[in-house]
Amino acid sequence: MGLKRVFRVFRYKPGWSRPRYETYTLDLPEWATVLEALMRIRRDHAPDLTLRHSCLHGSCGTCGMRINGREALACLVKVQDLPERITVEPLYNLGVVSDLVVDMPAFYEKFEPVGRPLIRRSEYLPQAVPPEGIPHFTRLESCIECGLCVSACPVAATDEAYLGPAALAAAWRVVEEPRDARVWQALALADSPHGCWRCHLALECSEVCPTGVKPGHAIAALRAYLLTSQAVRTASPMGEAS
Amino acid sequence: MAKPANFHVVIVGGGATGAALAHDLALRGLRVTLVERGEVTSGTTGRHHGLLHSGGRYAVKDPESARECIEENFILRKIAPGSFELNDGLFVAITEEDEAYLPRFLEGCEACGIPTQVLSREEALRLEPNLNPQVRVAVRVPDGTMDAMRLPLRFLATAKKNGAVVRPYTEVLEVLKRNGTVYGVRVRDHVTGREEDIHADVVVNAAGPWSGKIAAMVGVDVPIRPSPGVLVAVEGRWTNMVINRLHPAGDGDIIVPQRGLSIIGTTSWVVDDPDALDLPEDHVRLMFEKGGEMVPVVGKAPLWAAWSAARPLVGPRQAETGRELSRTFKCFDHADEGVEGFVTITGGKATTARGMAEVTADVVCRKLGLDVPSRTREVVLLPHTAYYRL
């Protein structure tokens, strides 16, 4: 055991316990992540501590939280890179269900209607020739639906109806690579009063995204796309039909 | 005659097995409640490398498991479209010794019904330019990549749609038993803080490496060996296909590309407590070394994450490394040991979860005197996003 750290963990059970911070002192092995520390807290000190986790390598997006005030996936943050006192809180802007668990249905309420398929064309190794019977290599989309961008977004903090960076980034992926998705639907959502025009370009979303999706850039791209297509519509005597 | 909806089944464990079982039973018309201590897929399920198995890895030594894998692989493609990177996989021979394994490998695959295509060095390098240029021969198999959490979420979403109740953060404190018959579970809901009894006609223990602990609450023994392995994710996607080493199963014999990462797996040892997993540094180093033998750039890529996951292998207590244990699954009806109303399903793997569920649901229905067939081979699953919307 090499790392001694003090964890201040946000604890709150809506309806029956007040929001508070509880302190746990841990001796951890050098490889420990913040998620490992939280799993040990649950195992050894607080069996009713609720948190989300699954893959342990930043692929599932469940362990998003705020660590010393910054959005991160707890499974990717090594304790040895942090100071002696570590504060762990749930994500902002989604509502707390219990302790570190936030309201993911609220996230998917905005994300799902965009209709972005999960599988995309792989852009890796363009020189590779796919085997017979496989028209092109594919991969899972980069966005892991972790909610870090929504938590970091200053607009989401003030406008509850704002579609938010994750859903808008997904909408851009539909425009970029439609597959069988309904592009018009994704564009209509992006163009709505609570869509991409609400963004202040703070770019906090792109900053905290753990998988390089860069939602802020996607939003800028959506705006440019919508402006261009509106310009085309305005210039055309046939309006939208052209 | 009793209708399926008259019966209530409680499933303990929200991993891939419990998820697929909830789906199967709900489709058959039974009332189902699934309880899980943490978030769903937070135990072993979410931590696997994401391989949609062709079964090739088991074709020589563990043909039963290999057959299960290839059968389920093809079923999953049908019932979960849009969930997989379907880029196939290669078994690559790097050394002469690897190459000598080729005839046995092809024979094993043929016997198990796994389609193969033998590729020359040049053909293999055309598909995967980052392969070790010393590759001697490669065999193409129908491997794929899945999202280890999002596939089971599709089972859970569909189960919920069909009436199943899924309760994460609900921990089993006690299995309720009277006169040798299990009749429910006492749980604590960590969100509401309440303890309550959930009554059931059958309780199914689908707790994976924790199934020994649940069985102990009933006083029956499940020969489960929690067998952890280390996995390493490196930055960058260095292949599009799954890359396996063409030799008998061993440490670091697979690279699974997934999104923009490459996952190298794995090692194998056995533990008593799946809640106390170590991450031995030498295992992490070994993953880089062995991964680098197949795809040199993977061995030099920056570390993204390293973690351990406990397989729920079925086998004798004296097992030492877990490699000698079969990857197939077992369903125990504990009536054989004098306990009614309690079934354990364990072993297996994410690829075979649907098949495990079908067998288990058959056992449950037989116990309840129901004759309703499984429909999970045909019913297309809802998307993973539906899990949080229902």
Side-chain angles (χ1 to χ4, degrees), chain A residues 144-167:
Chain A
I144 51 172
E145 302 150 25
C146 62
L148 299 196
C149 57
V150 174
S151 176
C153 173
V155 179
T158 55
D159 176 8
E160 219 175 276
Y162 178 45
L163 203 54

Side-chain angles (χ1 to χ4, degrees), chain B residues 129-140:
Chain B
N130 283 330
L131 279 181
N132 185 339
Q134 286 169 30
V135 58
R136 304 170 77 92
V137 65
V139 183
R140 179 185 169 194

Side-chain angles (χ1 to χ4, degrees), chain A residues 13 16 43 52-55 57 59-60 105 108 112 119 122 124 129 132 138-141 144-145, chain B residues 39 41-42 46 85 87 126-127 140 150 169 190-191 240 258-259 275 304 307 384-385 388-389:
Chain A
K13 308 284 189 183
W16 62 284
R43 184 188 74 199
R52 303 176 68 226
H53 61 84
S54 182
C55 77
H57 65 282
S59 275
C60 71
Y108 284 101
E112 191 190 37
I119 297 293
S122 169
Y124 290 95
V129 184
E132 196 193 323
T138 57
R139 70 172 179 93
L140 292 150
E141 282 278 359
I144 51 172
E145 302 150 25
Chain B
E39 171 62 302
T41 77
S42 59
E85 298 180 357
N87 298 327
R126 211 172 309 139
L127 306 181
R140 179 185 169 194
R150 285 171 176 79
Y169 318 114
H190 291 309
V191 175
N240 279 303
Q258 181 239 77
R259 294 194 167 84
D275 279 317
W304 175 257
W307 70 102
H384 78 275
T385 49
Y388 292 103
R389 300 274 280 140

Side-chain angles (χ1 to χ4, degrees), chain B residues 100 222 350:
Chain B
V222 172

Side-chain angles (χ1 to χ4, degrees), chain A residues 118-236:
Chain A
L118 184 60
I119 297 293
R120 59 165 288 172
R121 207 179 254 263
S122 169
E123 74 281 40
Y124 290 95
L125 294 158
Q127 75 277 27
V129 184
E132 196 193 323
I134 293 180
H136 51 82
F137 286 127
T138 57
R139 70 172 179 93
L140 292 150
E141 282 278 359
S142 295
C143 173
I144 51 172
E145 302 150 25
C146 62
L148 299 196
C149 57
V150 174
S151 176
C153 173
V155 179
T158 55
D159 176 8
E160 219 175 276
Y162 178 45
L163 203 54
L168 287 167
W172 177 243
R173 282 293 306 141
V174 171
V175 176
E176 236 186 352
E177 189 188 343
R179 291 153 280 184
D180 293 330
R182 284 173 291 188
V183 178
W184 60 269
Q185 189 174 318
L187 280 173
L189 284 165
D191 200 20
S192 69
H194 297 284
C196 65
W197 309 108
R198 295 284 284 138
C199 167
H200 294 168
L201 294 175
L203 296 183
E204 293 288 329
C205 51
S206 294
E207 193 76 22
V208 298
C209 177
T211 55
V213 171
K214 296 198 171 74
H217 300 71
I219 292 169
L222 273 174
R223 286 179 171 185
Y225 185 91
L226 284 164
L227 284 172
T228 315
S229 46
Q230 271 158 11
V232 170
R233 279 206 295 273
T234 315
S236 156

